[in-house]
Amino acid sequence: MTAPTLAFFTRLLDDASPADRYALATAQIQHAEQHGIQRAWVAQHHFRAAEGGLPSPLVFLANVAAHTSRIRLGTGVITLSIEDPVRVAEDAAVADLLSGGRIDIGLGSGGTPSSFAPFGEDVREKAATYDRKLGVLLDALSGRDIGAANTLYPDGSALSSRIWQATFSAHGGTRAGAHGHGLLLSRTQPRPKDDPQAPLAALQEPIIDAYLEALPPGAEPRITASRTIFVADDRAEALRFAEVGLRRAAEGFRRQGQVIPGDTLDDLIAALDTHLGTPEDVAASLAADASLRRATEIAFQVHSVDAPHDHVLRSIELFTAEVAPALGYALDTSFDNGTVKEKA
């Protein structure tokens, strides 16, 4: 199997004003690009700053495109159930042109339940709504009639091969595979209430199986696995940030009805699938994650450790310089110590 590539993922949760959050996230993506990371994913969240600071990811990525040159830029994810699919297609097509063809569209049906009402949608109908809107989005990107003989302008057909679907279920894996889309696997896969300590691989391997089985003949699998990864020069430093961030995250998941067993820091590290510590610690931890062996891309994010900006930058440096080579992950070698190499 080809070595998985690397992506940087952010929910834009830096402890700062909205403008500063966007500036810090842009700097982090620039830093990721300079250290060989090949894609950046940004999450969409509406209304609540504590859950994520970005309601309009394609607007943000169009700006990031102007400050980067090579790194691919993806939405991880747009909650399609509460969006207008024609507007998503239009915004994506424009952002893709402005970025020089670097946009990927990651989609999901879920999101914060209370966010559905302001958009006139019923969270109880989110699955059916998602399927309907996905059809409209695909029609728009493919240049088909989307009503009254209208077709998308500018053309978005190139984006049709750069769609990804996020899911927690084998059914969702089948849907993504049947369309030939990429598969997005979450770092926050909920555990069954009757088995709260189930390994993440036990939950995600069946999704991967369903996805691969449904892929059309000849279609290349695209499987991105998102993980919480925080690399530090000293393990004690990593644990200091995790003590605050993971406890806050666990409380949030419990309020949503998830079962997060245990209350020691070690319990929370295990329950929240967190890979942290020195480069050696993180490499050993990731090597034990069975589902990562089938991923074509590993997306790493500092959430829910939520370390400050300078520590995020250092984590990117340590991950790309020491962890990635130890595990055989692929990096963009066009950059060398933050400088673009001259072409021969």
Side-chain angles (χ1 to χ4, degrees):
M1 180 177 175
T2 304
T5 57
L6 291 177
F8 174 71
F9 193 115
T10 179
R11 291 177 62 206
L12 288 84
L13 286 172
D14 296 272
D15 185 13
S17 69
D20 286 342
R21 278 187 172 186
Y22 299 158
L24 291 172
T26 300
Q28 290 163 13
I29 294 171
Q30 289 175 306
H31 201 65
E33 179 183 62
Q34 291 163 2
H35 286 80
I37 303 302
Q38 298 179 43
R39 194 187 327 266
W41 294 100
V42 296
Q44 177 191 53
H45 291 89
H46 293 281
F47 309 124
R48 291 169 179 78
E51 294 180 2
L54 186 61
S56 303
L58 289 165
V59 175
F60 173 75
L61 291 179
N63 180 68
V64 172
H67 294 85
T68 55
S69 61
R70 302 173 65 89
I71 194 168
R72 298 204 59 80
L73 304 168
T75 60
V77 296
I78 290 172
T79 307
L80 189 60
S81 306
I82 57 177
E83 300 290 339
D84 181 325
V86 175
R87 291 292 297 122
V88 171
E90 290 180 325
D91 287 350
V94 172
D96 196 48
L97 283 177
L98 293 174
S99 70
R102 288 188 282 143
I103 296 296
D104 288 75
I105 308 174
L107 305 169
S109 64
T112 305
S114 61
S115 295
F116 281 66
F119 293 97
E121 299 292 352
D122 187 341
V123 68
R124 295 169 297 182
E125 303 295 327
K126 68 178 184 179
T129 301
Y130 177 83
D131 286 338
R132 174 176 57 82
K133 291 186 176 184
L134 178 62
V136 175
L137 176 66
L138 297 180
D139 283 344
L141 293 176
S142 298
R144 292 189 283 269
D145 181 358
I146 48 178
N150 288 301
T151 56
L152 190 68
Y153 179 85
D155 176 69
S157 58
L159 287 159
S160 297
S161 63
R162 292 187 248 131
I163 297 175
W164 305 68
Q165 295 193 49
T167 185
F168 288 144
S169 71
H171 170 75
T174 297
R175 178 180 57 206
H179 283 289
H181 296 164
L183 176 67
L184 295 174
L185 299 174
S186 175
R187 69 187 178 90
T188 58
Q189 178 93 32
R191 268 47 173 191
K193 291 190 177 180
D194 60 352
D195 191 8
Q197 294 180 318
L200 187 57
L203 304 178
Q204 295 190 335
E205 293 269 17
I207 302 174
I208 297 172
D209 290 339
Y211 169 74
L212 294 174
E213 185 175 345
L215 272 180
E220 286 292 326
R222 292 178 288 136
I223 304 170
T224 292
S226 175
R227 295 294 184 266
T228 295
I229 298 171
F230 177 56
V231 195
D233 291 288
D234 178 76
R235 182 171 177 83
E237 178 183 68
L239 293 174
R240 177 167 60 89
F241 291 118
E243 180 74 42
V244 177
L246 294 187
R247 289 198 180 282
R248 182 172 57 235
E251 291 170 5
F253 286 130
R254 285 166 177 154
R255 285 195 298 271
Q256 295 171 17
Q258 290 191 37
V259 177
I260 306 295
D263 197 48
T264 68
L265 182 55
D266 285 342
D267 290 336
L268 297 180
I269 289 171
L272 298 176
D273 301 291
T274 304
H275 306 270
L276 84 170
T278 65
E280 294 79 9
D281 295 332
V282 173
S285 180
L286 289 171
D289 188 331
S291 52
L292 293 185
R293 298 166 200 161
R294 304 174 74 187
T296 61
E297 177 180 84
I298 312 299
F300 66 98
Q301 55 182 298
V302 72
H303 318 297
S304 296
V305 175
D306 293 332
H309 174 67
D310 57 338
H311 292 272
V312 175
L313 299 183
R314 182 58 177 157
S315 181
I316 291 170
E317 294 167 4
L318 291 170
F319 188 70
T320 54
E322 300 187 40
V323 179
L327 295 174
Y329 296 160
L331 292 166
D332 180 354
T333 56
S334 299
F335 286 87
D336 185 12
N337 295 323
T339 303
V340 182
K341 290 183 178 178
E342 292 294 331
K343 295 291 183 182

